Amino acid sequence: MFVVLNIAYAQMEVIPGHPDKNTKKMLQMIADAKEKDADVIIFPEMAIPGYFLGDTWEQSSFLADCMEYGKEIIAASKDIVILFGNIAVDWKKKNNDGRVRKYNAFFAAQNGKLIHPDNMPYPFMIKTLMPNYREFDDTRHFFSLQKLARELGTSPDQLISPLTFKVNGKRYRVGCLLCEDGWSDDYELTPLEILQRHAPIDFFVNISASPYTLGKNDKRNRIFKAQAKAVKAPLFYVNNIGLQNNGKTIYTFDGSSTVYSSEGNIVACCAPYEEALGVLTLEYVSSLPAVEIRKKSAIAHIYEALSYGVRHFLDRIRMKRVVIGISGGIDSAVAAALYTKVLGPENILLVNMPSVFNSETTKGLSQQLARNLGCHYMIVPIQESVEHTVQQLQEIPVEFLKNHVQSHLQVSSFVTENIQARDRSARVLAGAAAAFGGGFTCNANKAETTVGYSTLYGDQSGFLAALADLWKYQVYELAHYLNDEVYGHEVIPQGIIDIVPSAELSSNQNVDEGKGDPLKYPYHDYLFRSFVEHWQKATPEDILNWYLQGVLEKKLGCADGLVRQYFPTPAAFIEDLERWWNLFTGMAIAKRIQAPPVLAVSRRAYGFDHRESQNGPYYTRKYREMKAKLLNTD
């Protein structure tokens, strides 16, 4: 009799901090898997509690609750083997912080009981490799298998062991990995290889809670295809979908659960951002044809992540209506088109707030945008209220109470610019949002956020910064994508795409005269990206060194010739570099700390992904030496 093993892989939405809802979904998927004659079902990492929970992990009552819900999943394992992720707690031991011992654990249950891994001291597998970079903070909360091995006076090689179970009279040996355990290139050990050394493995399982970032799936496919081929065994990668956050940074989880054959081919892949329950017969996996993963452009991936993230974030905070300040510029236009697609035009209010510095061009473009989208639209002039504020500040005396001497404040043109920005957000948009029954957006892009080119409590305000992880060139790409692919016709007027980017807060920013922002986006996007997104983050020393070697544009990835075009002399180049570095490491940090949450799509989003402190600008000794030599100064 030929015995086969039917394996179900459950790509589910995990709702962080809600084990009750997650368990309910898991029980339903278990029932569905049984109806499909599945012998095994695989759920993602931390499927019961969620993953990004902050210091909720320090709540003992929450931990106990998750373990109780885990018992419900174990009890449901009659006639099916259930592989799932949950928190495991050893109440008799402590973590290094003195709190109760917690493990990021991989459980296996059959016939109402846990299956004990071959060599583990617990009836579950423990995550070996703990990511402690980017958005991850595992070592703060969880005790790794490496630490446990040292505590027990043994090695990870002895504890990492296969899981063995019997189905239909046949014994199967499974290699169980938790997320990072499969991304082992930069670690001192490789759990997959250790498992393979113990005994032949019938199939590997990697359960994950892996947030989406641009390009990550391509890298994962390369790595996992090579792993499956190297160990000559199928590999089931099961990831969750949903939205989780670390407070200031919000991540989408795209799922993209994938099955790799022993030949290293992709033979099944779940659609991103959709719940799915796939079933494959293990014995036939290697004979299945390779699945062609449809290639999408980077901007298509970005749109997919943003639209999914915005929709789920609004659902999470129960916000159904949104107000957007539109200026006739590209950022607010893209935000308007994005939110309109997510919520529908009936739930969007677009507000244009002109002052004397706003041109007829941008006012006309704003109205055209609103008409194209079919949203609610209103025009609220701010000149009178701004002048009233300036008048009050200058005419009402300031009294120094120690000696009763009176003086008057002088409002500069720069201060007046900030008053305009705050009047728009703190007064008009905040009030309109309350009256409309919703919230108002922050439309900042990543270049502006990097150097604080925004006004605190003004255009940096809002409930969510959906575009703040996109560089300016990506905002333009998204505008074209929204017109061409999402809407299928021009909703963002071409005039908005063509016009010079400008805040229009003074006569020095007159768009009709070609005057705009001080940022030269074709260059500064890439310069700033090197500060933030390069794995080895660039500093002025690196930038100046590349400039001297004549390889700066190649290192940054921007177009050739831009540096000479924008900065004809070394002095001009250094002046620009230091201007933005001083802001990036100075006032901009304070602004970012107070900025709205950022929806992440890149390899380094602001917030928890890019951790920073307010230390002020610093230039290395080598930078100062190169600068002095270049400028011929002492």
Side-chain angles (χ1 to χ4, degrees), residues 313-520:
F313 185 77
L314 291 170
D315 287 344
R316 190 72 51 82
I317 64 175
R318 298 179 181 176
M319 184 180 292
K320 300 183 183 300
R321 309 189 92 188
V322 167
V323 173
I324 304 171
I326 58 171
S327 63
I330 190 68
D331 299 318
S332 60
V334 167
L338 175 65
Y339 278 92
T340 299
K341 196 64 180 178
V342 170
L343 284 178
E346 68 277 8
N347 294 310
I348 302 295
L349 170 60
L350 304 181
V351 186
N352 182 242
M353 298 161 284
S355 72
V356 294
F357 300 115
N358 290 96
S359 67
E360 293 302 319
T361 300
T362 53
K363 286 188 283 188
L365 289 170
S366 295
Q367 188 151 2
Q368 186 181 346
L369 170 71
R371 188 182 303 113
N372 291 351
L373 292 172
C375 302
H376 301 283
Y377 179 62
M378 66 188 302
I379 301 171
V380 183
I382 65 167
Q383 190 61 37
E384 184 178 348
S385 59
V386 169
E387 289 176 355
H388 179 65
T389 300
V390 172
Q391 182 181 13
Q392 282 187 310
L393 291 176
Q394 292 191 143
E395 293 183 357
I396 295 176
V398 176
E399 183 176 351
F400 184 42
L401 297 181
K402 186 174 182 178
N403 56 18
H404 302 291
V405 172
Q406 292 187 344
S407 60
H408 290 269
L409 297 176
Q410 296 300 310
V411 180
S412 66
S413 59
F414 176 74
V415 172
T416 302
E417 292 181 23
N418 287 333
I419 289 173
Q420 291 176 70
R422 293 189 181 103
D423 192 67
R424 287 179 171 128
S425 293
R427 185 179 71 88
V428 178
L429 292 179
F436 190 62
F440 71 95
T441 66
C442 174
N443 302 327
N445 61 60
K446 196 166 188 175
E448 294 171 349
T449 305
T450 297
V451 292
Y453 188 60
S454 58
T455 302
L456 270 175
Y457 323 121
D459 52 323
Q460 198 171 27
S461 303
F463 72 89
L464 175 67
L467 306 180
D469 201 23
L470 273 64
W471 301 105
K472 194 76 168 185
Y473 75 87
Q474 292 173 316
V475 175
Y476 281 108
E477 288 177 0
L478 186 54
H480 287 291
Y481 187 81
L482 285 161
N483 280 348
D484 299 340
E485 303 296 333
V486 177
Y487 285 90
H489 61 278
E490 185 179 288
V491 292
I492 299 174
Q494 186 63 40
I496 288 180
I497 296 173
D498 294 338
I499 199 169
V500 60
S502 175
E504 287 193 299
L505 293 172
S506 72
S507 58
N508 294 326
Q509 298 170 331
N510 189 315
V511 295
D512 289 334
E513 297 176 4
K515 300 175 182 177
D517 296 343
L519 293 163
K520 304 181 191 320

Side-chain angles (χ1 to χ4, degrees), residues 1 43 50 61 64 67 103 130 177 202 231 263 277 291 297 331 351 431-432 438 465 535 555 580 626:
M1 178 179 177
F43 288 101
S61 59
M67 293 183 71
Y103 299 110
M130 293 287 176
L177 303 162
D202 292 297
V231 297
E263 288 75 29
L277 182 67
V291 173
S297 65
D331 299 318
V351 186
W535 196 244
K555 290 287 187 179
W580 299 118
M626 287 190 293

Side-chain angles (χ1 to χ4, degrees), residues 14-20 22 48-53 56 62 66 244:
V14 173
I15 303 173
H18 290 272
D20 53 343
N22 296 327
I48 289 176
Y51 188 31
F52 290 162
L53 303 184
T56 299
F62 177 79
C66 292
Q244 301 192 36

